[in-house]
Amino acid sequence: MPLLVRRLIVAVLSCALAAPAGIAPARAQAPELPALGDVAYDDLSPANERRFGEQIMREVRRDPAYLADPDTQDYLNALGFRLVSVSPARYTDFEFFAVRDAMLNAFAFPGGFIGVHSGLVIGAANESELASVLAHEIGHIEQRHIARMLAKQRDGTFIAIGALLLALLAARSGSSSSGDAAQAAIAAGQAAAVQQQLNFSREAEREADRVGFQILTGAGFDPAAMSSFFTRLQQGTRIYESAAPEYLRTHPLTVERLSDIQNRARESRLLPRPDSLDFHLVRARLRVLQDDSPQGLRDSALHFRSQIDSRSAPSLTAAYYGLALASTMLGEHGAAVEAARNARRSSQAPSPMLDKVVSQTLYAAARTDAERADAVRLAREAAARYPVSRLSALHYVDLLQKNGHDDTAVAFLREQLALSRSDPRLFELLARSYERLGRRTLQHQATAELYVLLGATPAAIDQLQLARKANDADFYTLSEVDARLRQLSQQMREYREQLAREGRAPAEPDKGQRR
């Protein structure tokens, strides 16, 4: 998804202007626009919220700004789930993800998807401030503000939906004027709808503040963090009135909101909570990843060296970690190994990120098979030490594949998939190892599951048909392929029949059904 389209979607949803139920995905090369379904006659159900959110996420994951970084994702989801665990929304399937963007912002999509700008993590004064923003976004989802907005201001919502669809079409047209057309479409739609939504939007923000504050304190974070974050943003707005922080543009802050949060913080008896080591490590990591150009990496390395030399870093361990990461990406492997070892040596607490950076830098600097084998051993030990750490698992598989140990990689990946089948990266890596081993049926089967998770059901059907033709697996595997092929083909038939009933497409069989 082009960056412009992502910003348009975020702009619409941040104003609580939501489209209704999602539809089954189309081919990856020609994605369908969100379908309106039956929401004109009913509110957005939780199931439809989730489907719509999943459809938006399939587009977001294609955006170069989407940070598919397991280290960052592990941290954000661990922090997010700590907050969710004390919320009535704990039964919602949440997913927290990062976007490479220097602006201080975060946003919630329908169905439990919460995006965090890299700039927010870097700019947060402490972990409690970051947690306060996530708690606020969880509050929006817990209170189902998108569905409630749809019920309260249905007319304005459909104006915004029309603007969003026009913007999507304009951005996908590929013409030289598509950017201007998209901006004009979204501006017109928002201008017509924002005034209708404004009062309810402010109430939704106040409600998310109240719910978010309860979540924040319930999880044991500093109760003053939410007000301190908002106060810093408000002070920045006074200095730069023509360029308000993006968070304040998408989450309008009023004097009443700020006063209410400050009063709640004063009444709380909780003490400030120290930051976790992983917060400092991820903040250092995102400083490097936010600008990974050669000059950006050199600037990051200089920043961390300055912190180390002056002993001014909030976390010396994180400064060494950031220097190790930047040095590795610059190809300065000797400096990277030294910094990685110093990071782990200076730490008083264990962390999978520290174990990974040591193994990673040693492997990059290795010149002999024995040195590479030692790095693989460290990665294997880290994966065993942190069995639920996705970053440790993916790093171990990466080194196995680089060393040609695909049989071991397959066995390990199948263990991981027994725990969770929701990560497309696991299927991508599994397909890669099967391809190298010449096991075509299993390769296409794994690729099909990858496409299912990416929302490309027709492409998944094509892969399953290729798996049947390869015919180099046992009877049990081929039976699995046939059963999955029937299931996905049935889903596509139902999807096309739905389109036909709504008058948006003929009920023709898809490519997979004709074969």
Side-chain angles (χ1 to χ4, degrees), residues 33-145:
L33 296 176
L36 300 186
D38 298 322
V39 295
Y41 308 102
D42 197 6
D43 297 346
L44 191 61
S45 70
N48 284 339
E49 277 190 272
R50 181 68 184 185
R51 282 195 292 270
F52 183 58
E54 288 172 345
Q55 188 173 4
I56 296 175
M57 284 302 301
R58 285 193 287 270
E59 293 295 313
V60 169
R61 292 188 183 102
R62 297 187 183 109
D63 193 318
Y66 174 75
L67 264 175
D69 178 56
D71 304 61
T72 304
Q73 289 179 344
D74 269 17
Y75 170 73
L76 289 179
N77 280 283
L79 176 61
F81 293 150
R82 175 172 179 170
L83 295 164
V84 169
S85 68
V86 298
S87 162
R90 59 185 174 274
Y91 301 110
T92 301
D93 188 10
F94 278 85
E95 179 180 333
F96 299 83
F97 62 96
V99 174
R100 185 186 283 107
D101 194 312
M103 294 291 186
L104 275 70
N105 208 357
F107 50 90
F109 285 157
F113 298 97
I114 294 178
V116 181
H117 286 205
S118 55
L120 175 64
V121 181
I122 297 170
N126 51 59
E127 189 170 31
S128 290
E129 282 197 357
L130 175 60
S132 74
V133 177
L134 296 189
H136 177 93
E137 299 302 331
I138 293 169
H140 278 304
I141 291 174
E142 178 187 321
Q143 299 304 111
R144 300 195 63 224
H145 284 149

Side-chain angles (χ1 to χ4, degrees), residues 132 135-137 139-140 143 145 202-216 226 230 247 251-254 256-258 260-261 264:
S132 74
H136 177 93
E137 299 302 331
H140 278 304
Q143 299 304 111
H145 284 149
R202 286 174 175 169
E203 177 57 34
E205 291 297 322
R206 286 194 292 268
E207 192 171 60
D209 288 342
R210 292 192 292 269
V211 172
F213 185 84
Q214 293 173 351
I215 293 172
L216 184 72
M226 187 176 286
F230 285 152
Y247 192 85
H251 302 74
L253 180 63
T254 63
E256 292 80 7
R257 279 183 64 199
L258 186 56
D260 181 58
I261 297 168
R264 291 174 184 273

Side-chain angles (χ1 to χ4, degrees), residues 163-234:
L164 174 59
L165 297 183
L166 287 173
L168 285 167
L169 287 171
R172 287 172 176 170
S173 68
S175 67
S176 60
S177 61
S178 63
D180 292 339
Q183 290 282 15
I186 202 68
Q190 284 187 265
V194 164
Q195 188 57 49
Q196 297 182 48
Q197 301 287 352
L198 188 57
N199 292 334
F200 191 82
S201 177
R202 286 174 175 169
E203 177 57 34
E205 291 297 322
R206 286 194 292 268
E207 192 171 60
D209 288 342
R210 292 192 292 269
V211 172
F213 185 84
Q214 293 173 351
I215 293 172
L216 184 72
T217 55
F221 289 95
D222 184 358
M226 187 176 286
S227 63
S228 67
F229 176 73
F230 285 152
T231 300
R232 284 198 299 114
L233 289 184
Q234 189 182 54

Side-chain angles (χ1 to χ4, degrees), residues 277-297:
L277 171 62
D278 284 350
F279 167 71
H280 291 291
L281 295 178
V282 166
R283 189 161 60 167
R285 184 177 187 84
L286 288 177
R287 178 179 287 277
V288 174
L289 297 182
Q290 185 166 270
D291 181 3
D292 56 2
S293 67
Q295 185 58 51
L297 293 174

Side-chain angles (χ1 to χ4, degrees), residues 290-338:
Q290 185 166 270
D291 181 3
D292 56 2
S293 67
Q295 185 58 51
L297 293 174
R298 286 191 289 269
D299 290 343
S300 292
L302 181 62
H303 169 80
F304 292 121
R305 285 195 186 98
S306 175
Q307 285 190 335
I308 293 167
D309 292 342
S310 64
R311 290 296 192 267
S312 62
S315 166
L316 184 61
T317 298
Y320 277 123
Y321 172 82
L323 178 58
L325 184 61
S327 298
T328 297
M329 297 174 72
L330 285 168
E332 299 171 356
H333 299 304
V337 170
E338 181 183 4

